[in-house]
Amino acid sequence: MSTSIAEVATRLWHGLLAYAVKFGVVGLIGLVIDVTLFNALRLGLAGDDTWAQSAIGAKTISTSVAIVFNWLGNRYWTFRTHRRRNYLREFAEYVIVSLGGMAISLLCLWVSHHLLGYTTLLADNIATNVVGLGLGTAFRFLLYRYWVFGHHRADGLSTLARVEEAQRTLFEEPDAPARTDPVEAGAEASAPGPDALARSSGPASPDPGP
């Protein structure tokens, strides 16, 4: 029983939990980049009275930078064995999933604020930064793991590696039979067989009398 539990735990770790931990680390660093850059731009990092200093401009820039960082981190660390050869398509799908996660967060805020009537600042933060963030993160992780970086994607590096290995196995020439040394072959040919040895070792014929 203990062996089977250990095997299940190992498969769960390598199949899902290890990706989740790395995904969380990348996402946390991306969040720090987003918040830091947003506040720096609001304080005039890119100049005063510019679009980048406005709330919408600063958030657009900081979120875009965080998305690019998260994509690179997940591509070359979290899901590096499943990253795609067509990186432009991979990035486009990554952005679509990221926007979907953001939409989930906004939907939670809309339901809480406008539909349920919880209009306080605390309620808004719980709706968007707790419930919405949690649901959006789960949504993004599952789609990254099983769609954007899915092991079944035709242009994924792990899929291409398996195809190449299968092709090598299918088309490689069989091993040639071992060559026999000519001297040894001649010695084996001249050596008497077991039947000859048996006949020669049989009882001797009686000595004819005078």
Side-chain angles (χ1 to χ4, degrees):
M1 180 64 69
S2 60
T3 303
S4 61
I5 293 177
E7 291 177 354
V8 171
T10 300
R11 292 178 182 177
L12 184 62
W13 170 258
H14 291 291
L16 188 65
L17 295 181
Y19 293 109
V21 171
K22 293 179 180 180
F23 177 78
V25 172
V26 172
L28 182 60
I29 298 175
L31 178 62
V32 172
I33 292 175
D34 188 358
V35 173
T36 303
L37 184 57
F38 172 78
N39 285 279
L41 291 172
R42 291 287 289 150
L43 293 174
L45 177 66
D48 296 329
D49 298 328
T50 62
W51 176 78
Q53 192 180 21
S54 66
I56 298 298
K59 189 58 178 176
T60 301
I61 294 173
S62 64
T63 301
S64 300
V65 172
I67 288 176
V68 172
F69 169 81
N70 289 344
W71 171 63
L72 292 173
N74 287 315
R75 173 178 171 82
Y76 293 105
W77 188 45
T78 308
F79 306 106
R80 66 181 184 277
T81 58
H82 302 295
R83 65 182 184 270
R84 311 262 295 283
R85 176 173 290 181
N86 189 343
Y87 61 90
L88 292 178
R89 182 175 180 179
E90 177 190 284
F91 179 70
E93 293 175 355
Y94 191 94
V95 171
I96 291 173
V97 175
S98 298
L99 294 177
M102 184 177 66
I104 291 175
S105 180
L106 293 175
L107 178 62
C108 291
L109 177 60
W110 180 85
V111 170
S112 173
H113 191 96
H114 296 283
L115 193 62
L116 300 180
Y118 297 111
T119 58
T120 65
L121 181 61
L122 177 61
D124 287 347
N125 275 277
I126 292 176
T128 188
N129 294 324
V130 177
V131 179
L133 180 63
L135 294 177
T137 299
F139 168 84
R140 289 185 291 109
F141 172 72
L142 291 175
L143 264 71
Y144 292 154
R145 173 68 180 88
Y146 296 106
W147 182 51
V148 179
F149 299 103
H151 63 277
H152 63 285
R153 301 308 296 267
D155 61 338
L157 297 188
S158 60
T159 301
L160 295 175
R162 288 195 298 270
V163 171
E164 292 175 358
E165 180 64 24
Q167 289 176 343
R168 285 195 299 267
T169 304
L170 182 63
F171 296 108
E172 68 182 0
E173 296 181 359
D175 296 335
R179 296 182 178 180
T180 306
D181 186 84
V183 177
E184 295 180 356
E188 292 178 358
S190 61
D195 294 339
L197 291 175
R199 288 194 299 271
S200 63
S201 60
S205 57
D207 186 14

